[in-house]
Amino acid sequence: MDPLLELQDLVVHFHTLDGVVHAVNGASYAVTAGQTLGIVGESGCGKSVSVLSVMRLIPEPPGEIVAGRVLYRGQDLLRLDKLHVQTIRGKEIAMVFQDPMTSLNPVLTIGQQISETMVVHEGMDKREARHQAIKLLETVGIPQPEDRYSDYPHQFSGGMRQRAMIAMALSCHPNVLIADEPTTALDVTIQAQIVDLVKDLRDRLGMAMIWITHDLGVVAELADRVVVMYAGFIVEEADVFTLFETPCHPYTLALLKSLPRVDSVSNEKLATIRGSPPDCLHLPPGCPFVPRCAFVVERCQRENPTLQHIASGHKIACWVDVTTGRER
């Protein structure tokens, strides 16, 4: 199946007083209709910047999309004028942001904010948009949606605000839904409800979905394929079962070992990843994971490996075979 949305060799820089931040360094990934792509990695690794580039929401300046293509149905979004992009953003590609309280306008009601999207993109009148907004609030599990339509964001709990953001994102029946850590600020019970809701909507509506998260447990439950990012680079990509059963990049392996397990021996220590991510102002000449890696060989210090296939649908950027500890 042809990709619905595809990034090709995306490079994004931010120009600061201290120098150029290399936020995304040649990222390529794709998602097809009905598929969920999970993107994982530490804060600052380029996850959010890559999807904000898709939506053309990178502030320019200081941001700059230096190179690459973002293809939606074969059309390069980076080459379109802003008016054309606005007809796609929110209608065909929608996004749910991490913190709904900063994404929602505090002086407009929840209903107004959902209705506005349908008035702008679908050409509905206000009465029809109100009716559809109430149906959407009901779809995402908001109790008494007709009454809650007129409530303001501060009158909603965190989980309900996130549901309202999902309703807004779904209001124009997008083909692609991008969720940028939508459950990070929520408690575990509400997280589970949001994940179940999104899975159900994805299966019913057939959307493609990109889910950005730190939570590998959510990725295991939700994603079909997974991309692991580090220091702006993609270091591993595989289907979700392969990634969890046979991780092949030292960073992915370290991430999985750092997860607490219910089946672990009671006196077993939780593994940690030593050190800190590199400064993206001054990336090292070799692999950026070298200072934290347990499998370093001499070549790692000199050359940064490119992403290569090691099996069908499984790609890594590493010189070393983690099963043997020897150079590939």
Side-chain angles (χ1 to χ4, degrees):
M1 187 182 293
D2 291 335
L4 186 59
L5 178 68
E6 183 177 11
L7 271 69
Q8 296 180 348
D9 303 316
L10 182 71
V11 178
V12 183
H13 292 169
F14 286 90
H15 301 275
T16 71
L17 294 176
D18 295 322
V20 178
V21 177
H22 298 81
V24 179
N25 302 301
S28 299
Y29 54 77
V31 62
T32 59
Q35 183 186 58
T36 299
L37 177 72
I39 305 179
V40 300
E42 291 167 275
S43 296
C45 71
K47 307 185 301 294
S48 297
V49 172
S50 70
V51 294
L52 288 172
S53 300
V54 170
M55 301 294 284
R56 293 282 295 275
L57 293 175
I58 296 292
E60 300 182 49
E64 181 188 6
I65 300 174
V66 177
R69 300 200 299 169
V70 176
L71 302 179
Y72 172 67
R73 296 189 183 278
Q75 188 176 37
D76 189 356
L77 299 182
L78 302 183
R79 302 291 176 264
L80 301 181
D81 61 67
K82 290 184 178 180
L83 286 177
H84 196 165
V85 170
Q86 287 173 4
T87 65
I88 295 172
R89 184 197 302 141
K91 178 175 174 59
E92 297 186 51
I93 304 175
M95 189 164 179
V96 179
F97 295 92
Q98 180 174 347
D99 184 0
M101 201 59 195
T102 57
S103 303
L104 292 166
N105 190 324
V107 300
L108 296 177
T109 68
I110 293 289
Q112 285 176 302
Q113 296 183 64
I114 298 173
S115 298
E116 182 185 24
T117 309
M118 292 180 282
V119 170
V120 171
H121 287 297
E122 302 289 314
M124 294 183 185
D125 59 43
K126 290 186 178 180
R127 184 175 179 180
E128 186 182 3
R130 183 183 190 278
H131 176 70
Q132 291 298 325
I134 291 170
K135 285 179 65 177
L136 280 165
L137 288 173
E138 184 179 14
T139 299
V140 298
I142 301 293
Q144 302 173 313
E146 288 193 36
D147 297 332
R148 304 313 299 262
Y149 177 91
S150 300
D151 283 351
Y152 289 87
H154 73 270
Q155 295 173 281
F156 274 40
S157 68
M160 288 173 66
R161 284 195 293 267
Q162 198 58 279
R163 288 171 185 267
M165 286 295 297
I166 292 170
M168 194 183 306
L170 297 177
S171 60
C172 296
H173 306 98
N175 296 313
V176 182
L177 178 66
I178 299 171
D180 186 4
E181 302 190 46
T183 61
T184 298
L186 306 177
D187 65 60
V188 176
T189 305
I190 303 301
Q191 282 186 31
Q193 292 175 4
I194 296 293
V195 169
D196 287 342
L197 168 66
V198 171
K199 282 173 66 178
D200 178 60
L201 292 171
R202 176 199 62 188
D203 295 341
R204 283 200 281 129
L205 302 176
M207 298 179 300
M209 194 157 65
I210 298 174
W211 190 280
I212 295 173
T213 184
H214 292 99
D215 191 335
L216 287 166
V218 171
V219 167
E221 185 176 352
L222 196 61
D224 299 302
R225 292 190 61 76
V226 186
V227 162
V228 181
M229 293 190 70
Y230 187 80
F233 296 94
I234 292 177
V235 295
E236 185 159 9
E237 180 184 349
D239 69 82
V240 67
F241 299 106
T242 301
L243 190 93
F244 278 81
E245 288 179 7
T246 55
C248 290
H249 192 280
Y251 179 57
T252 312
L253 192 64
L255 282 179
L256 292 172
K257 283 185 175 181
S258 68
L259 289 176
R261 298 175 60 100
V262 294
D263 59 347
S264 63
V265 180
S266 59
N267 62 354
E268 187 178 327
K269 286 187 176 181
L270 193 64
T272 59
I273 305 175
R274 63 183 181 180
S276 303
D279 181 358
C280 288
L281 277 165
H282 308 102
L283 288 172
C287 172
F289 192 56
V290 163
R292 311 173 75 186
C293 184
F295 298 89
V296 178
V297 296
E298 195 272 334
R299 190 178 187 183
C300 303
Q301 310 273 3
R302 294 183 285 105
E303 298 177 59
N304 189 13
T306 57
L307 205 61
Q308 300 290 336
H309 279 93
I310 57 168
S312 178
H314 192 174
K315 296 186 280 188
I316 66 164
C318 186
W319 300 122
V320 179
D321 184 339
V322 294
T323 58
T324 63
R326 293 195 295 269
E327 187 172 338
R328 291 182 180 276

